[in-house]
């Protein structure tokens, strides 16, 4: 069976099931096999009577003693009762509204019952248990899948099982590597990650699959780099006097660091090789202006630039800033985002096809297939941590010979940068513009949050504004976290009853978000309660307080980004981390934040503190398009995998060549890093 054939070719997948699967982005067999469990339920079997607690699900092998007569309850439910026996204790078992249940049981036979059993005196009680595996199993690991749309665990389990019955998953790593790193086969890994026999083998399959991902991922980066190196047919954009006019028009002098990076970029633009440069610079270090200089140079040479950002809020902001600086030099600028009207889109796309210079600012919409750039000379992506290598390679292919600048404020540790951006040259803006005040960062335990609100109130009295960031939009029963809505309710009628408070989150329509940001920008709103949608780029210099709720839930790099929303003007600013800090690690993390404002230092510390994460907590964050591996936590695996990928590319024996070809083919057919024939 071909791994890329559609799921409709699986027996039992009719139009209805097909629709459900497609809605969950499962289109072919590979998608299904890579739909890994999010977690597992570890059912332990046949414990001693005294050890049974009603909180955990268990499997007990019980013998049927008597099947009782069905009754109707007073509320009209249909009640079936069977009496079992377990290790000498009576088990009282009830099912509601399942009249056929009795047919599955025979007096005198034993069955594996699964569920939460409750001890009541000397007997056990359970309601609606399920019937476990028929085999004399005494323990079981059940996969739990992320249920997108109308999927159920049962459906996925059934489909994955039936596919695994017929596929043969070929090995794609040389035996030498499997032996060296003690890796199990790909076939076994895929089978065991869905239906593990025990914890040990589950751990081994996760390791194997992480290795696979990071190996293929490294291979992709390295191949990309080779491809770029080979193409020396880039365009050359020499600089001219117009650049000096621009520099003279700037409202400030460039910092030393900015000037150095501008020189590196201009040198790349002048050379006939396509530029591929990463510009790293801490929040507020002034990356935008550096990009605008490169864009202007491209423009004066008669070419187009595309300036891409991850959010519409940011696109609008950049559009305004770019207009402010470049319109005076008659530079033509367009804004293209998801909420641009169709008519406008059509007009802009026509302009993009013309043989004239232009600056286009936009969101991902910019790299969608139907935008055909004519004379594209430069592509800048801002806040690159939101664009993975996948988009990067798309871009490079789109622009053909265009220069590429990616800018990120996520200060990743240098060691890691080497792995993640090995296809790029790196420039660092390691200096902030003069006069920036250090942001006074404080950490409060949950129960002293009022101190934070009081400080915010004082600042509002002085004319300043406040952000409050929460990890969730709405209340969630399971998670004891503060949400935008609950905090809003509490504060609106409480401490901030006399000022304008608004909320902002990612589920809102783009136009609504813009209006809210607009009101905050123009100081109509004093307090903005938001999710992390404001994490990148938002620039409101009058805001001086950032309060972060459940700070323990955010990564340090993210906290650092959020903190970067304040301290953007001349005012003394504050960042207050409110956390329910029980563990030492949380306390340490908070201390790192209160003691340092150096993004690179923070990211190094973060990496050190993470250490080895828990093995079974699957992250589905989709970081860099990876399903299982976490580039921070799995840096050791990344190191090995990358080393091996590099060696294989450098040694052109026939086995290696075939392997590289197979992986390249797989990467063309699937955007995932675990691909096989
Ligand atoms: P980031 O690197 O976070 O994207 P921005 O480009 O948004 O930073 O710049 C942050 C602020 O600093 C902006 O208001 C910008 O005008 C200002 N700025 C940039 N460079 C300088 C400089 N050399 N001197 C003074 N202010 C600067
Ligand atoms: Mg920026």
């Amino acid at each position: 069976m071909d791994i890329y054939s559609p799921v409709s070719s699986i027996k039992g997948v009719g139009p209805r099931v097909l629709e459900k699967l497609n809605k969950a982005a499962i289109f072919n067999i590979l998608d299904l096999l890579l739909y890994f469990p999010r977690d597992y339920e570890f059912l332990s079997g046949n414990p001693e009577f005294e050890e049974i607690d009603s909180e955990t699900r268990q499997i007990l092998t019980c013998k049927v003693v008597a099947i009782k007569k069905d009754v109707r309850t007073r509320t009209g439910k249909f009640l079936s009762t069977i009496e079992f026996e377990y290790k000498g204790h009576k088990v009282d078992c009830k099912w509601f509204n399942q009249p056929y249940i009795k047919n599955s049981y025979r007096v005198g036979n034993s069955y594996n019952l699964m569920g939460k059993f409750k001890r009541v005196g000397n007997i056990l009680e359970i309601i609606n248990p399920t019937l476990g595996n028929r085999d004399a199993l005494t323990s079981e690991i059940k996969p739990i899948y992320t249920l997108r749309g109308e999927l159920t665990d049962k459906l996925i389990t059934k489909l994955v099982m039936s596919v695994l019955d017929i596929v043969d998953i070929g090995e794609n790593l040389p035996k030498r590597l499997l032996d060296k790193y003690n890796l199990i086969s790909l076939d076994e890994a895929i089978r065991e990650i869905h239906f593990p026999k025990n914890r040990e083998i589950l751990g081994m399959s996760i390791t194997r699959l992480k290795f696979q991902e990071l190996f293929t991922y490294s291979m992709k980066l390295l191949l990309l780099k080779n491809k770029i190196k080979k193409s020396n047919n880039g365009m050359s954009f020499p600089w001219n006097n117009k650049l000096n006019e621009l520099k003279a028009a700037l409202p400030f002098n460039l910092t030393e660091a900015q000037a150095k990076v501008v020189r590196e970029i201009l040198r790349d633009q002048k050379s006939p090789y396509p530029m591929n440069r990463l510009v790293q610079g801490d929040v507020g270090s002034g990356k935008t202006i550096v990009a605008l200089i490169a864009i202007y140079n491209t423009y004066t040479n008669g070419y187009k630039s595309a300036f891409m950002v991850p959010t519409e809020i940011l696109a609008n902001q950049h559009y305004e800033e770019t207009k402010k600086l470049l319109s005076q030099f008659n530079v033509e600028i367009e804004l293209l985002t998801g909420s641009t009207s169709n008519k406008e889109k059509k007009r802009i796309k026509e302009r993009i096809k013309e043989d004239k210079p232009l600056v286009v600012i936009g969101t991902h919409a910019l790299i969608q297939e139907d935008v055909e750039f004519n004379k594209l000379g430069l592509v800048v992506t801002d806040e690159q941590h939101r664009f993975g290598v996948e988009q990067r390679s798309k871009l490079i292919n789109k622009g053909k010979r265009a220069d590429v600048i990616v800018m990120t404020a996520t200060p990743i540790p240098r060691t890691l940068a080497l792995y993640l951006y090995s296809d790029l040259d790196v420039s660092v803006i390691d200096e902030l513009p003069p006069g920036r005040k250090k942001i006074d960062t404080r950490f409060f335990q949950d129960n002293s949050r009022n101190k934070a609100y009081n400080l915010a109130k004082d600042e509002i009295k002085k004319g300043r504004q406040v952000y409050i960031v929460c990890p969730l939009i709405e209340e969630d029963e399971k998670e004891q976290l503060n949400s935008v809505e609950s905090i809003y309710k509490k504060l609106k009628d409480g401490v901030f009853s006399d000022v304008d408070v608004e909320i902002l989150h990612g589920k809102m329509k783009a136009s609504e978000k813009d209006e809210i940001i607009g009101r905050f920008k123009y100081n109509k709103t004093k307090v903005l309660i938001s999710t992390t949608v404001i994490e990148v780029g938002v620039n409101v210099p009058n805001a001086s307080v950032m309060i972060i709720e459940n700070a323990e839930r955010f990564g340090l790099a993210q906290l650092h980004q959020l903190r970067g929303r304040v301290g953007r003007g001349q005012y003394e600013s504050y960042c207050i981390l409110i956390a329910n800090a029980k563990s030492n690690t949380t306390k340490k993390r908070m201390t790192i934040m209160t003691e340092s404002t150096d993004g690179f230092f923070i990211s190094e510390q973060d990496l050190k503190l993470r250490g080895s994460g828990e093995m079974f907590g699957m992250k589905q964050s989709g970081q860099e398009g990876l399903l299982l591996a976490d580039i921070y936590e799995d840096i050791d695996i990344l190191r090995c995998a990358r080393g091996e990928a590099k060696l294989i590319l450098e040694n052109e024996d026939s086995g290696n060549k075939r392997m590289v070809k197979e992986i390249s083919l797989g990467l063309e057919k699937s955007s995932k890093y675990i691909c096989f024939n």
Side-chain angles (χ1 to χ4, degrees):
M1 179 180 238
D2 184 356
I3 220 83
Y4 300 103
S5 32
V7 273
S8 56
S9 61
I10 305 170
K11 226 176 96 192
V13 176
R16 268 188 48 74
V17 174
L18 182 66
E19 196 188 318
K20 287 184 197 174
L21 292 171
N22 287 355
K23 266 197 192 146
I26 301 176
F27 299 100
N28 59 28
I29 307 269
L30 182 67
D31 295 334
L32 180 68
L33 287 178
L34 298 188
Y35 201 79
F36 296 144
R38 149 178 79 77
D39 204 351
Y40 300 86
E41 185 168 28
F42 297 91
L43 294 159
S44 60
N46 295 339
E48 292 309 312
F49 178 78
E50 290 73 24
E51 290 168 10
I52 296 174
D53 79 276
S54 59
E55 291 304 307
T56 31
R57 278 167 60 90
Q58 277 164 325
I59 307 181
L60 307 190
T61 311
C62 302
K63 188 167 157 190
V64 179
V65 177
I67 298 179
K68 303 282 176 66
K69 212 168 153 249
D70 297 329
V71 290
R72 283 245 170 231
T73 65
R74 250 185 291 160
T75 51
K77 284 185 187 149
F78 191 92
L79 173 66
S80 317
T81 312
I82 299 182
E83 186 189 320
F84 290 84
E85 186 243 74
Y86 177 72
K87 295 196 174 179
H89 298 269
K90 184 178 151 191
V91 184
D92 192 14
C93 205
K94 290 184 166 44
W95 286 269
F96 287 99
N97 293 336
Q98 298 185 48
Y100 303 106
I101 201 84
K102 283 184 311 212
N103 303 338
S104 314
Y105 298 89
R106 295 263 173 291
V107 175
N109 287 2
S110 290
Y111 301 87
N112 288 325
L113 297 181
M114 285 201 296
K116 291 180 179 173
F117 293 81
K118 193 167 148 199
R119 266 188 294 143
V120 182
N122 208 19
I123 72 164
L124 290 171
E125 287 179 358
I126 186 161
I127 293 169
N128 291 342
T130 48
L131 191 53
N133 202 314
R134 240 168 213 287
D135 306 334
L137 249 195
T138 53
S139 64
E140 192 167 297
I141 306 181
K142 268 186 62 181
I144 303 172
Y145 294 94
T146 303
L147 301 177
R148 290 188 209 138
E150 289 175 62
L151 293 181
T152 59
D153 277 319
K154 210 166 147 188
L155 175 67
I156 307 175
T157 303
K158 192 183 97 191
L159 294 177
V160 173
M161 271 186 179
S162 69
V163 169
L164 285 178
D165 268 349
I166 47 174
V167 292
D168 218 350
I169 298 169
E171 184 50 61
N172 61 7
L173 289 182
K175 183 157 184 316
R176 178 180 61 78
L177 289 188
L178 300 187
D179 292 345
K180 181 169 171 188
Y181 296 105
N182 195 17
L183 299 171
I184 60 174
S185 75
L186 189 57
D187 185 72
E188 194 179 4
I190 297 273
R191 285 170 202 279
E192 292 292 337
I193 197 167
H194 285 286
F195 310 111
K197 281 196 277 293
N198 54 51
R199 279 175 195 257
E200 194 193 348
I201 190 92
L202 173 59
M204 290 178 79
S205 62
I206 291 172
T207 305
R208 162 68 213 247
L209 294 170
K210 281 181 172 176
F211 189 95
Q212 187 70 45
E213 280 195 303
L214 295 171
F215 179 82
T216 318
Y217 172 77
S218 304
M219 189 76 105
K220 178 166 184 153
L221 281 174
L222 293 164
L223 286 168
L224 196 60
K225 183 172 191 162
N226 285 351
K227 191 167 164 184
I228 296 164
K229 253 202 319 216
K230 279 187 194 136
S231 57
N232 63 347
N233 55 344
M235 292 154 283
S236 168
F237 300 150
W239 8 295
N240 50 45
N241 280 337
K242 287 186 181 157
L243 266 187
N244 292 336
E245 285 169 27
L246 175 70
K247 273 190 199 158
L250 292 180
F252 42 70
N253 292 325
L254 293 181
T255 61
E256 270 303 310
Q258 283 171 316
K260 180 192 72 194
V261 174
V262 166
R263 276 197 301 276
E264 285 165 349
I265 289 175
L266 291 179
R267 201 186 315 130
D268 280 358
Q269 288 193 313
K270 199 170 158 186
S271 93
Y273 294 91
M275 159 165 62
N276 266 285
R277 189 166 284 282
L278 171 74
V279 174
Q280 263 198 300
D282 215 336
V283 190
S285 61
K287 293 181 292 296
T288 319
I289 188 65
V290 169
L292 290 181
I293 293 172
I295 286 172
Y296 185 63
N297 190 39
T298 308
Y299 193 91
T300 56
N301 275 281
Y303 277 78
K304 289 194 182 64
S305 298
F307 194 176
M308 297 208 307
V309 291
T311 66
E312 290 203 13
I313 296 173
L314 206 48
N316 289 329
Q317 196 174 285
H318 275 15
Y319 177 64
E320 295 301 328
E321 240 171 283
T322 309
K323 263 203 316 209
K324 222 185 327 177
L325 185 70
L326 297 185
S327 302
Q328 54 184 316
F329 301 103
N330 300 320
V331 172
E332 310 248 346
I333 307 157
E334 296 284 3
L335 176 68
L336 182 64
T337 68
S339 58
T340 308
S341 73
N342 283 336
K343 198 172 144 220
E344 263 289 282
K345 264 186 199 153
K346 213 170 145 225
R347 183 186 65 76
I348 297 172
K349 281 179 193 170
E350 285 306 315
R351 291 201 74 184
I352 287 175
K353 279 190 220 149
E354 286 170 9
D355 188 23
K356 288 192 204 130
L358 183 69
V359 179
V360 190
I361 298 172
T363 50
H364 297 84
L366 266 184
I367 45 167
Q368 269 159 17
E369 308 300 326
D370 61 334
V371 184
E372 275 301 329
F373 274 92
N374 184 7
K375 291 195 96 171
L376 181 60
L378 172 67
V379 180
V380 183
T381 67
D382 194 8
E383 306 299 348
Q384 143 75 24
H385 61 294
R386 298 290 181 88
F387 291 99
V389 58
E390 183 55 34
Q391 284 99 327
R392 225 145 71 213
S393 73
K394 228 190 214 161
L395 261 180
I396 289 171
N397 291 329
K398 177 148 222 135
K400 306 261 166 25
R401 298 133 57 221
D403 289 329
V404 171
I405 297 177
V406 291
M407 306 202 293
T408 173
T410 309
I412 42 173
R414 269 163 231 279
T415 37
L416 208 50
L418 203 68
Y419 296 126
L420 296 188
Y421 299 120
S422 52
D423 54 326
L424 305 165
D425 295 314
V426 180
S427 292
V428 183
I429 307 182
D430 48 6
E431 176 186 6
L432 293 180
R436 288 281 160 78
K437 293 223 170 66
K438 196 167 170 234
I439 298 163
D440 183 349
T441 306
R442 303 175 189 183
F443 157 51
F444 291 156
Q445 287 281 3
D446 225 11
N447 51 14
S448 43
R449 59 176 58 243
N450 279 336
K451 282 198 270 181
Y453 299 143
N454 288 336
L455 189 147
K457 253 190 115 122
D458 288 344
E459 283 293 299
I460 294 172
K461 274 192 203 130
K462 287 188 212 158
R464 302 289 82 73
Q465 289 162 281
V466 176
Y467 294 102
I468 301 179
V469 172
C470 305
L472 296 178
I473 301 175
E474 298 160 34
E475 208 91 47
D476 185 325
E477 294 277 297
K478 274 178 283 163
E479 307 225 45
Q480 301 264 313
L481 297 175
N482 292 297
S483 69
V484 168
E485 286 179 357
S486 65
I487 290 281
Y488 176 75
K489 266 192 226 134
K490 205 168 77 184
L491 301 186
K492 179 81 187 84
D493 301 323
V495 263
F496 298 127
S497 58
D498 52 346
V499 296
D500 282 330
V501 184
E502 285 209 273
I503 61 174
L504 177 74
H505 56 72
K507 280 201 189 147
M508 293 173 161
K509 272 197 304 207
S511 55
E512 202 180 345
K513 279 190 256 181
D514 284 343
E515 282 166 24
I516 293 166
I517 291 273
R519 284 194 289 271
F520 192 67
K521 207 167 195 156
Y522 295 108
N523 202 355
K524 294 246 166 27
T525 318
K526 300 296 171 185
V527 181
L528 187 62
I529 304 177
S530 166
T531 54
T532 53
V533 285
I534 56 142
E535 177 184 338
V536 290
V538 173
N539 189 20
V540 181
N542 190 51
S544 67
V545 182
M546 164 64 68
I547 297 176
I548 303 172
E549 298 280 353
N550 294 107
E552 77 276 8
R553 293 297 292 242
F554 298 98
L556 290 190
Q558 207 174 10
L559 290 177
H560 182 64
Q561 276 285 333
L562 287 167
R563 174 165 63 184
R565 294 313 107 218
V566 295
R568 301 178 83 83
Q570 71 265 41
Y571 309 109
E572 179 79 50
S573 297
Y574 305 88
C575 173
I576 297 171
L577 309 167
I578 301 181
N580 200 346
K582 291 205 187 78
S583 77
N584 268 339
T585 316
T586 306
K587 282 181 196 147
K588 260 191 219 149
R589 293 171 73 236
M590 296 303 128
T591 310
I592 293 171
M593 290 302 297
T594 56
E595 287 178 355
S596 172
T597 48
D598 176 347
F600 286 96
F601 175 80
I602 290 171
S603 68
E604 297 279 355
Q605 296 305 310
D606 200 14
L607 185 60
K608 272 191 205 145
L609 273 183
R610 286 191 193 213
S612 57
E614 82 263 51
M615 180 125 70
F616 303 113
M618 302 268 175
K619 295 227 173 52
Q620 302 259 331
S621 59
Q623 183 191 32
E624 283 283 310
L626 300 163
L627 294 174
L628 294 174
D630 178 311
I631 31 199
Y632 280 86
E633 277 165 17
D634 300 315
I635 187 166
D636 292 331
I637 303 180
L638 177 58
R639 201 171 277 142
C640 300
R642 186 186 137 88
E644 298 295 346
K646 195 152 179 261
L647 269 180
I648 285 171
L649 282 176
E650 281 164 4
N651 293 294
E652 299 217 323
D653 69 38
S654 57
N656 285 347
K657 266 191 185 154
R658 202 182 56 236
M659 181 178 162
V660 171
K661 199 168 153 204
E662 267 173 26
I663 287 180
S664 310
L665 265 177
L667 282 170
E668 270 168 36
K669 289 187 195 164
S670 163
S671 60
K672 305 202 172 88
Y673 293 110
I674 302 172
C675 42
F676 37 85
N677 37 35

